[in-house]
């Protein structure tokens, strides 16, 4: 038997030609990034995934070190993606979609994936009343505040959005508006609500509210937030209980509230109700859903255009 002994130099040369170890990003980190983008919060992402906030933060730091930059920034309304983060979230979704497709090879989750319809909390009740149950068979409905739904549309986890116009759309030139209509909103209160003379206006707000607060600030009117909730129906119930005033689309005032036309209340701005489509969305199912929603909520008017200014 011949024994070959390699020198250290030769061993070093062999090491230099050894195939490089590939870096892999664990799927759980990919899911974490997507969850943060969808919920707008590290703590909410942790609740969804069953992870502690330190674990979530650790995963984000690990991915940031791999991609070479910050993926999220904290704002007054929660956590939002940076420009690098938007790209990372898009790629993360592709990884998860590929993962799900592989799992379907074994016979799981057969059939087409449901369309993801996002809508404002203010519009959800009307949608459920007008939309027959059997029409929702291939649709996953996600209800949240309009800014969160718009962010989902831009980031790619919402296919079609039924929302109110928001400044976050102004900088986007890829989102397509399928239909739009102006929506007049008014102040609403209980029938027996009375404001004490000289007292600040008690308002029932929602996260990121720029309807009431911006209007009152513009007119130098004193107010205080006495109730805050992303749930539109809860705000209406708080108004019924006499906690204060809130804003509501004029055509949707519930019978247990009245339009508040008190002299001290400034007129609320007119908003646009929008039906938006994710960039690159195609297919007969998506087209049929857009047409159905346009017919139900926009009198069938179709005004396809690219977003320029909302």
């Amino acid at each position: 038997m011949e024994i070959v002994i390699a020198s250290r130099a030769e061993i070093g040369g062999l090491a230099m030609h050894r195939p490089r170890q590939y870096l892999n990003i664990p799927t759980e980190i990919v899911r974490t990034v997507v969850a943060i983008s969808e919920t707008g919060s590290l703590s909410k992402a942790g609740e969804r995934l069953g992870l502690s906030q330190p674990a979530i933060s650790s995963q984000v730091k690990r991915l940031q070190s791999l991609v070479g930059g910050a993926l999220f920034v904290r704002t007054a309304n929660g956590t939002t993606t940076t420009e690098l983060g938007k790209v990372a979230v898009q790629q993360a979704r592709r990884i998860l979609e590929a993962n799900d497709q592989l799992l379907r090879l074994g016979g799981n989750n057969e059939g087409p994936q449901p369309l993801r319809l996002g809508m404002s909390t203010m519009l959800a009740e009307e949608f459920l009343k007008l939309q027959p149950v059997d029409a929702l068979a291939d649709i996953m409905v996600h209800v949240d505040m309009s800014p969160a739904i718009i962010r989902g549309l831009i980031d790619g986890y919402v296919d079609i959005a039924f929302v109110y116009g928001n400044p976050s759309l102004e900088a986007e030139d890829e989102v397509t508006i399928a239909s739009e209509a102006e929506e007049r909103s008014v102040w609403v209160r209980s029938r027996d609500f009375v404001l004490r003379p000289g007292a600040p206006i008690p308002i029932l707000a929602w996260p990121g509210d720029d309807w009431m607060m911006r209007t009152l600030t513009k007119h130098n009117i004193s107010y205080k937030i006495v109730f805050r909730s992303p749930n539109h129906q809860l705000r209406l119930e708080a108004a019924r209980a006499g906690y204060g005033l809130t804003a509501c689309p004029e055509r949707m005032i519930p019978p247990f509230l009245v339009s508040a036309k008190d002299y001290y209340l400034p007129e609320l701005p007119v908003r646009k109700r929008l039906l938006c489509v994710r960039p690159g969305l195609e297919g007969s199912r998506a087209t049929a859903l857009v047409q159905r929603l346009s017919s139900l909520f926009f009198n069938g008017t179709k005004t396809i255009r690219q977003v320029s200014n909302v």
Side-chain angles (χ1 to χ4, degrees), residues 189 193-195 201 216 221 245 260-266:
R189 58 171 174 78
F193 173 83
V194 177
L195 180 68
I201 298 174
L216 293 171
I221 297 175
L245 298 100
K261 300 178 180 179
D262 306 83
Y263 71 92
Y264 54 82
L265 293 173

Side-chain angles (χ1 to χ4, degrees), residues 71-119:
L71 302 180
F72 301 99
V73 292
R74 294 186 182 277
T75 67
N77 297 324
T79 301
T80 187
T81 51
T82 63
E83 290 303 314
L84 177 62
K86 290 180 180 180
V87 176
V89 168
Q90 289 176 352
Q91 297 301 323
R93 293 190 185 286
R94 292 177 181 176
I95 292 172
L96 293 181
E97 287 176 3
N99 180 78
D100 295 342
Q101 288 174 5
L102 281 173
L103 291 177
R104 284 196 292 272
L105 293 178
N108 297 323
N109 302 319
E110 291 184 350
Q113 292 299 295
L115 286 170
R116 300 164 297 182
L117 172 63
M119 70 177 64

Side-chain angles (χ1 to χ4, degrees), residues 104-280:
R104 284 196 292 272
L105 293 178
N108 297 323
N109 302 319
E110 291 184 350
Q113 292 299 295
L115 286 170
R116 300 164 297 182
L117 172 63
M119 70 177 64
S120 163
T121 56
M122 285 190 179
L123 299 168
E125 183 178 9
E126 182 182 23
F127 170 83
L128 292 174
K129 287 180 178 179
L130 296 178
Q131 194 74 8
V133 175
D134 57 358
L136 301 177
D138 60 347
I139 300 173
M140 192 280 285
V141 179
H142 176 56
V143 179
D144 206 333
M145 305 303 299
S146 288
I149 297 298
I150 292 170
R151 182 172 60 194
L153 189 75
I154 295 169
D155 287 348
Y157 67 85
V158 170
D159 297 316
I160 300 170
F162 183 30
V163 293
Y164 286 104
N166 183 274
S168 63
L169 270 176
E170 295 180 1
E172 296 299 324
D173 57 2
E174 295 183 354
V175 175
T176 300
I177 293 180
S179 295
E180 62 182 17
E182 289 192 341
E183 184 91 280
R184 184 168 183 265
S185 293
V186 295
W187 297 94
V188 293
R189 58 171 174 78
S190 65
R191 298 180 184 277
D192 56 357
F193 173 83
V194 177
L195 180 68
R196 299 195 312 273
I201 298 174
I203 63 172
L204 318 173
W206 56 88
D209 165 31
D210 65 346
W211 294 23
M212 296 181 291
M213 292 187 289
R214 180 179 295 182
T215 301
L216 293 171
T217 301
K218 178 181 178 181
H219 290 82
N220 295 315
I221 297 175
S222 176
Y223 68 90
K224 65 176 180 178
I225 298 174
V226 297
F227 186 91
R228 188 197 300 270
S229 172
N231 188 310
H232 181 55
Q233 294 306 315
L234 282 179
R235 293 195 303 274
L236 296 180
E237 289 297 330
R240 187 215 289 254
Y243 277 67
L245 298 100
T246 192
C248 177
E250 188 174 35
R251 63 188 177 85
M252 296 165 58
I253 301 176
F256 52 83
L257 297 178
V258 297
S259 174
K261 300 178 180 179
D262 306 83
Y263 71 92
Y264 54 82
L265 293 173
E267 185 175 344
L268 292 169
V270 173
R271 293 285 178 170
K272 283 189 177 181
R273 190 170 71 253
L274 305 172
L275 185 62
C276 305
V277 180
R278 173 176 60 80

Side-chain angles (χ1 to χ4, degrees), residues 16-29:
M16 291 177 61
H17 290 88
R18 183 178 300 165
R20 180 184 175 184
Q21 294 296 318
Y22 290 101
L23 290 175
N24 295 302
I25 299 175
T27 305
E28 58 267 23
I29 293 182

